[in-house]
Amino acid sequence: MRRTPHRRLAAAAIAAALALTLAACSDDDSGSAATPTATTTADPAATADPTGPATASAEDVAALEKVKVEGDPGSEPTITLPSTPFSVGAAVARVVTPGDGDAVAEGDTLEIQLTAVNGEDGKVIGSTYQDEATGTWTVSGDGSGIPALDEVLVTTKLGAQVVFALVSGETTQVYVLEPVQKIGSRAEGEAVAPVEGLPTVTLAEDGAPTLTAATGDAPADLVVQPLIQGTGKEVEEGDNILVQYHGALWDGTVFDSSWANGQPFPVTSIGSAQVIDGWNQGLVGTHVGDQVLLVIPPELGYKDQASEKIPANSTLVFVVDVLWAS
């Protein structure tokens, strides 16, 4: 089990945000990506073939044109394949409905609805609509997402429907994605006065935090100190969340930051997620829009084990902006 809250979404994984999306409607609460079946959810980040062709062929484009999508934006679409098994040789996407909301742009993090079918038999393998859940997708311009999808999304507006197909092992999966709204990149709410004895936080114009270390001894117990109070959804145990974070040791030494890594960090099933215990305990009960200071004692962090830049028996300090929960 991965115990660290800090990792960068790798290009080879083709955007783990889609795994978070369909995990929102899964019965599997293990926090790991599910293998696509008729009863679990699809994870193109885990199953798409990174060794396949980089560019869709004319035949792939023509094949996707024959996929029929029925249903208005805002409702679960019906995806009908022209025949089964259905296949493409590379990722390919097209706009079904362009949308009538704000324009989607490169770098936007979107709240999305997503439905997927298996190209082998056309059966639904996952849908966020079924549990009234949503997911997230960050539109990338550097090739770290799904270029065919991202290139199409930036031609649309909120409320659009985009159909796309991915190669998954020897099987093709077909998706309809609908961007619902844009997710902010930072906490938004009322500032809370700092507490004496804790590290202090200053924010750059874009919201990126800088920590100034406290001078006294580290607290023995978990501290969850609000810095900004948001007014959004309360984070409940089992929710999937999207956060920005900045992590440092008690002495102020920075060891990781999503702000530096370039995109927010998704956590699946908070409370039992594959992150350190201090995150699982400290983030349940926060609200979307909150910024919180977490001071995490060693027993809720890495205990007596070193981890990359973190020495054994370290007290950890995080500034966490809660951007989204579902």
Side-chain angles (χ1 to χ4, degrees):
M1 175 183 289
R2 188 170 182 85
R3 302 299 294 172
T4 173
H6 54 283
R7 64 170 175 84
R8 188 181 180 110
L9 297 179
I14 317 181
L18 278 183
L20 179 64
T21 300
L22 283 178
C25 64
S26 173
D27 292 330
D28 176 10
D29 63 359
S30 65
S32 60
T35 301
T37 69
T39 56
T40 60
T41 58
D43 178 7
T47 59
D49 182 1
T51 65
T55 304
S57 66
E59 290 78 9
D60 294 331
V61 173
L64 191 68
E65 285 288 344
K66 296 178 182 178
V67 173
K68 187 176 182 180
V69 178
E70 297 176 285
D72 295 330
S75 60
E76 183 174 8
T78 299
I79 304 171
T80 304
L81 304 180
S83 61
T84 53
F86 175 85
S87 65
V88 296
V92 58
R94 68 174 174 86
V95 177
V96 178
T97 305
D100 58 6
D102 293 340
V104 174
E106 181 180 314
D108 283 346
T109 296
L110 306 171
E111 181 177 26
I112 64 172
Q113 296 278 19
L114 191 70
T115 298
V117 300
N118 191 325
E120 288 292 311
D121 55 17
K123 292 183 178 180
V124 175
I125 52 178
S127 178
T128 58
Y129 294 90
Q130 293 177 1
D131 282 352
E132 299 182 353
T134 55
T136 68
W137 180 259
T138 298
V139 182
S140 172
D142 62 5
S144 63
I146 301 175
L149 172 61
D150 291 333
E151 289 167 9
V152 165
L153 279 172
V154 296
T155 70
T156 68
K157 298 180 179 180
L158 297 180
Q161 288 175 315
V162 173
V163 60
F164 65 102
L166 291 177
V167 181
S168 175
E170 298 181 356
T171 303
T172 293
Q173 296 171 351
V174 180
Y175 299 79
V176 172
L177 181 151
E178 178 185 343
V180 177
Q181 67 175 347
K182 297 184 182 184
I183 297 173
S185 61
R186 60 186 293 181
E188 297 286 350
E190 184 176 349
V192 177
V195 174
E196 187 176 354
L198 294 178
T200 57
V201 178
T202 55
L203 302 179
E205 287 189 7
D206 65 355
T210 298
L211 272 168
T212 300
T215 57
D217 293 335
D221 299 321
L222 174 67
V223 173
V224 183
Q225 173 58 42
L227 302 175
I228 295 174
Q229 289 187 330
T231 58
K233 177 190 182 306
E234 181 176 352
V235 175
E236 301 177 46
E237 187 169 351
D239 279 352
N240 299 317
I241 64 174
L242 191 71
V243 303
Q244 292 272 31
Y245 70 88
H246 180 81
L249 305 178
W250 180 251
D251 67 5
T253 302
V254 176
F255 56 80
D256 198 12
S257 173
S258 67
W259 297 90
N261 292 344
Q263 57 186 313
F265 177 70
V267 182
T268 303
S269 194
I270 190 66
S272 58
Q274 294 183 25
V275 293
I276 57 175
D277 291 339
W279 273 44
N280 276 320
Q281 294 184 24
L283 294 179
V284 173
T286 61
H287 295 80
V288 173
D290 282 358
Q291 182 182 78
V292 295
L293 181 74
L294 299 180
V295 181
I296 301 174
E299 61 269 22
L300 297 180
Y302 295 95
K303 303 179 175 62
D304 59 356
Q305 301 296 314
S307 177
E308 300 178 4
K309 298 179 182 179
I310 302 173
N313 297 308
S314 290
T315 294
L316 310 179
V317 181
F318 286 95
V319 180
V320 181
D321 290 25
V322 183
L323 306 181
W324 169 86
S326 179

